[in-house]
Amino acid sequence: MTLTATPDQLAKYEVVIGLEVHVQLATRTKIFCGCPTSFGAPPNTNVCPVCLGLPGALPVMSKPAVEMAMLGALALNCRINPTSRMARKNYFYPDLPKGYQISQFELPLAEHGYVDVVTANGPKRIGVTRVHMEDDAGKSTHDGFKDSDRFTYVDLNRSGTPLIEIVSEPDMRNADEAYEYMVYVKQAMEFLAVSSCDMEKGHLRCDANVSVRKWGAAEFGTRTETKNLNSFRFLKQAIEFEVSRQVAVVESGGRIVQETRLFNPDLGETFSMRSKEAAHDYRYFPEPDLVPLRISDAWRERLQSTMPELPAQKRARYATEFGLKPYDAEVLTATREIGTYYEKAVAASGDPKTTANWVMGDLLGALKNDGKEITESPVTAEHLGDLVKRIASGELSGKLAKEIFPKMYAEGLAPGVIIERDGLKQISDTGAIDKIIDEVLAANPKQVEQYKGGKTTVIGFLVGQIMKATKGQANPGVVNDLLKAKLG
Amino acid sequence: MKITEQQVRYVADLANLSLTDPEIHALAHDMDEVLIYMDKLADVDTEGVEPMAQVLFETDETATLRDDVERPDRLFTSNIATANAPQAGQGYFKVPKVIERA
């Protein structure tokens, strides 16, 4: 039975969190060979002598992998080292065919970065210690085969997939900060298109180093490392569980053991993975099969100049340029695709705020109902912008637009086509409206009397009748003005 | 003696080797000889010489990088990939149930 701490006990401790985030790079081929990185191929078919670790096979570094890693590092405000080198990390595991992982140790690709996040407690800067490149291992399957009680099945298709590992400073003080840091990293990598960050496919996984110490203590407490957290919810749950467990252990006179732990999502608990206290001795040494990575200023600057606008910059621009509220700016920058769609729609509509409401409300709502991404939207950004433009110009009432939008969504047609076809044009022609008002007033003499007797609220009823008579197509502003003038 | 038998056991453990006591004794001696011989290098004056772990031409940019091009000609089928494996099935390598060594 695992102990959990009481709120009083928790209040006595400061929490210290550092994260190691692994990001799968979006190259077509593996880091050291030309095998595809595609997901879902039959087992052991995307393999060659290099990624199988066959004797004599030699790795050759992928240039786009290096460039994606550099972009990722630059987005985390890291300094790119002009010289870095690959190193062998030696350990035995059946899904590691070479008997070592090619990673980086003394001279990583990039160092000394930081990330600025905003949490409930305000802004916070979190240090990024380093970003280094490495190859992924294969995949072990422990269950699901009829002899799974005796065998582990190994598929090496993933072996050699390019990864970057992003190591943070132990700067986070609660699960929310860790969450926001992870969101920043994920969004940045997505915006840069250096990773698809599909967490279900393991493109983004996170190890959380957690320790606790009494407030004011100079030394860090002993930390545990909870591995392979592959969702934001698990990250938060694992940290919160681990903090509670550690405080309870210390409060009951126990000692935290430095160990690797795993998270059980069903129980929401972490559990010890290795009983050995001694850290693994990986015997790192420089990889003799690969030359050092030399990155010139010119190369770095060339990449820097291709950097797209990152989410935080986009949010700031939406606030100043479009006058959007922080929440709206956040929704519209959640992914690069939503931002691109919104900006295209604004370009077509000329009305950023109304466009924002339509994208966030009607469009994202409809897409969510259908389980579709914005890239699959049946309504193009140009068509949505066109619709908003017609509202802004007074050609369409909001009510009419709400009627037209579902048709655009269902049929993928431009608003003009639907308006024309279904005769949904708003009537602003005062002559036509005038005639209808006269008819409505003639048909409702009682209400006219009431209005003239001082009960001005009946105007709502009369407007309703007029709108009904025009099938909602009359311009409500024009109706109001004309009606008031007539009732004098 | 530079190398103790305890160190040999530790290195053997890391290398996943099980050694008998006589083998450990002999290896401690052999490794000792190797290290004593290597110590001769300490006589060389390396003042101001950068360590060279890897060979690299004098250059600003690594020139030996690959483009992101698939090489289907080099792909193995799963049959070939697992041909030399002691056990395989359904396209997978099969290994004894993985259990952490205590």
Side-chain angles (χ1 to χ4, degrees), chain B:
Chain B
M1 271 304 239
K2 284 174 169 294
I3 294 283
T4 64
E5 292 191 5
Q6 197 188 349
Q7 284 172 315
V8 176
R9 282 180 215 279
Y10 178 69
V11 173
D13 190 48
L14 288 175
N16 241 359
L17 297 172
S18 19
L19 301 175
T20 62
D21 284 347
E23 282 171 332
I24 288 167
H25 185 75
L27 276 166
H29 176 77
D30 290 351
M31 289 166 85
D32 217 43
E33 296 278 295
V34 172
L35 286 185
I36 289 165
Y37 182 65
M38 296 293 281
D39 257 358
K40 280 187 190 298
L41 286 175
D43 296 337
V44 181
D45 180 8
T46 54
E47 190 67 33
V49 178
E50 259 188 71
M52 188 184 70
Q54 294 141 314
V55 180
L56 177 68
F57 294 106
E58 204 52 53
T59 173
D60 283 345
E61 281 178 26
T62 310
T64 52
L65 298 173
R66 286 173 39 239
D67 288 330
D68 201 12
V69 177
E70 286 186 29
R71 291 296 304 263
D73 54 313
R74 295 197 179 167
L75 286 181
F76 281 179
T77 62
S78 59
N79 275 340
I80 292 177
T82 59
N84 289 332
Q87 278 174 302
Q90 301 182 57
Y92 291 84
F93 295 89
K94 283 167 70 170
V95 298
K97 197 82 186 156
V98 178
I99 298 165
E100 278 289 321
R101 286 186 304 149

Side-chain angles (χ1 to χ4, degrees), chain A residues 46-310:
Chain A
N46 285 347
V47 292
C48 77
V50 173
C51 55
L52 287 172
L54 298 187
L58 289 172
V60 185
M61 176 66 91
S62 153
K63 186 171 187 177
V66 175
E67 296 194 331
M68 287 181 189
M70 285 165 68
L71 277 175
L74 289 170
L76 304 171
N77 303 297
C78 286
R79 289 213 296 269
I80 307 272
N81 284 324
T83 301
S84 70
R85 70 159 63 110
M86 306 309 291
R88 289 190 183 178
K89 178 182 182 180
N90 299 278
Y91 67 96
F92 288 109
Y93 207 73
D95 57 25
L96 187 76
K98 299 189 297 302
Y100 53 85
Q101 180 185 30
I102 301 180
S103 181
Q104 296 193 292
F105 188 57
E106 301 150 306
L107 277 174
L109 180 79
E111 296 172 275
H112 311 300
Y114 63 86
V115 160
D116 288 324
V117 298
V118 179
T119 71
N121 300 322
K124 165 106 185 183
R125 177 162 290 190
I126 295 157
V128 174
T129 315
R130 56 189 272 151
V131 173
H132 70 246
M133 302 181 68
E134 58 190 24
D135 61 352
D136 205 351
K139 189 173 183 298
S140 296
T141 306
H142 303 286
D143 307 294
F145 294 94
K146 67 176 192 301
D147 51 0
S148 280
D149 56 324
R150 288 179 297 132
F151 293 102
T152 293
Y153 282 64
V154 179
D155 172 12
L156 297 179
N157 282 347
R158 200 180 63 187
S159 168
T161 300
L163 303 177
I164 51 174
E165 179 173 333
I166 302 163
V167 183
S168 85
E169 291 289 308
D171 284 349
M172 288 156 274
R173 292 293 174 269
N174 55 57
D176 285 336
E177 289 178 6
Y179 184 95
E180 291 301 330
Y181 171 81
M182 187 80 170
V183 167
Y184 185 101
V185 170
K186 178 170 187 277
Q187 279 195 342
M189 298 306 141
E190 281 173 341
F191 268 65
L192 296 167
V194 305
S195 175
S196 53
C197 290
D198 188 336
M199 295 183 85
E200 281 172 15
K201 289 181 185 163
H203 293 178
L204 189 71
R205 1 189 239 272
C206 173
D207 304 338
N209 290 296
V210 177
S211 66
V212 298
R213 61 176 167 187
K214 280 245 169 74
W215 285 103
E219 301 283 313
F220 287 132
T222 305
R223 67 187 161 87
T224 63
E225 180 181 18
T226 303
K227 278 203 170 290
N228 272 332
L229 298 164
N230 62 355
S231 91
F232 286 98
R233 197 158 51 89
F234 296 167
L235 170 68
K236 230 171 156 168
Q237 284 178 347
I239 290 171
E240 276 159 7
F241 176 84
E242 201 44 29
V243 168
S244 179
R245 184 189 70 85
Q246 290 188 12
V247 168
V249 167
V250 176
E251 280 287 302
S252 63
R255 192 172 70 90
I256 301 299
V257 179
Q258 184 172 340
E259 62 182 355
T260 304
R261 298 176 72 87
L262 289 175
F263 180 69
N264 180 334
D266 296 329
L267 298 175
E269 296 180 355
T270 67
F271 61 95
S272 180
M273 179 174 136
R274 294 196 183 110
S275 51
K276 274 209 291 195
E277 269 191 53
H280 269 214
D281 181 349
Y282 292 120
R283 294 151 294 148
Y284 282 99
F285 63 89
E287 167 58 75
D289 290 341
L290 289 163
V291 296
L293 268 175
R294 294 293 294 266
I295 293 162
S296 65
D297 292 347
W299 190 6
R300 194 193 64 241
E301 283 158 16
R302 205 161 62 233
L303 272 183
Q304 186 110 48
S305 72
T306 68
M307 276 283 262
E309 193 179 32
L310 292 170

Side-chain angles (χ1 to χ4, degrees), chain A residues 6 34 131 159 211 216 221 260 273 299 338 377-378 391 408 466 474 478:
Chain A
T6 64
V131 173
S159 168
S211 66
T260 304
M273 179 174 136
W299 190 6
I338 294 176
S377 169
I391 302 167
M408 291 167 64
I466 295 157
V478 176

Side-chain angles (χ1 to χ4, degrees), chain A residues 450-471:
Chain A
Q450 285 176 336
Y451 182 89
K452 287 187 170 158
K455 199 183 169 200
T456 51
T457 48
V458 293
I459 198 163
F461 169 82
L462 294 168
V463 170
Q465 292 300 307
I466 295 157
M467 293 309 286
K468 204 170 151 191
T470 60
K471 298 194 188 77

